[in-house]
Amino acid sequence: MSAPRPEAPALPVTFRPTLTRVVLLSVGLAMFLVITVVALMLERLNVAERISFVFVAALFFGVLALLSRPKVEADEAGVTVVNLTRTRRLAWEEILRVNLRSGDPWVFLDLSDGTSLPALGIQLGMAKQQAIRDARALRALTEARSAGDDTA
């Protein structure tokens, strides 16, 4: 049942849902441009109404940009998990396990303080196989780093 252990990638490495990010930013930009052009073309709108159209378009783009923000960066010192609104830096020793179970939307990191941290930068979304490869690579990095530091 256990898959062959993947080799840990070279550090530093960044994991992010690239296809999801491209789609979100492309749609956001297209919608911003369409709404802005419509606001400028409608002759019956006054300046305040045009500004409100552009503001709503910018707000929409901002939300999609926020949704495209997640990533997981690993370097020699540890892992940085960037989720929608929060960023958390973890030392390798703090990460006990990297989980991507069947039905999970993204990776969860089991931490030494007894909590679990979602890592949205590795999510199944539109690129399931890439997410599985990234989760395995992060797991291999975590196992390699914790095995080397196990002095207790």
Side-chain angles (χ1 to χ4, degrees):
M1 179 154 199
S2 116
R5 261 194 183 162
E7 192 170 313
L11 294 175
V13 63
T14 299
F15 305 105
R16 75 171 5 138
T18 306
L19 181 58
T20 301
R21 181 177 170 83
V22 167
V23 168
L24 288 170
L25 293 175
S26 298
V27 168
L29 181 60
M31 291 304 298
F32 177 80
L33 293 173
V34 167
I35 293 171
T36 301
V37 168
V38 167
L40 297 174
M41 290 178 62
L42 290 175
E43 296 172 5
R44 295 176 29 172
L45 297 180
N46 63 37
V47 173
E49 290 169 329
R50 290 176 201 265
I51 290 172
S52 70
F53 264 71
V54 174
F55 175 75
V56 168
L59 187 62
F60 184 71
F61 179 76
V63 168
L64 292 181
L66 184 68
L67 290 173
S68 72
R69 184 174 182 255
K71 64 183 174 180
V72 177
E73 297 176 325
D75 58 31
E76 292 294 335
V79 175
T80 302
V81 178
V82 179
N83 286 333
L84 296 179
T85 58
R86 303 191 112 184
T87 299
R88 184 158 175 200
R89 179 74 181 161
L90 301 164
W92 287 110
E93 301 79 33
E94 293 179 80
I95 304 171
L96 300 178
R97 192 172 307 116
V98 177
N99 293 311
L100 182 59
R101 294 175 289 256
S102 178
D104 283 349
W106 42 70
V107 164
F108 287 89
L109 305 177
D110 290 341
L111 305 179
S112 59
D113 65 1
T115 63
S116 182
L117 176 68
L120 279 63
I122 303 174
Q123 56 183 261
L124 293 177
M126 291 186 237
K128 182 177 181 178
Q129 293 306 314
Q130 183 62 44
I132 291 169
R133 282 191 300 273
D134 290 349
R136 287 180 178 156
L138 184 58
R139 183 178 298 131
L141 284 168
T142 301
E143 289 172 356
R145 295 296 184 268
S146 60
D149 294 331
D150 221 18
T151 57

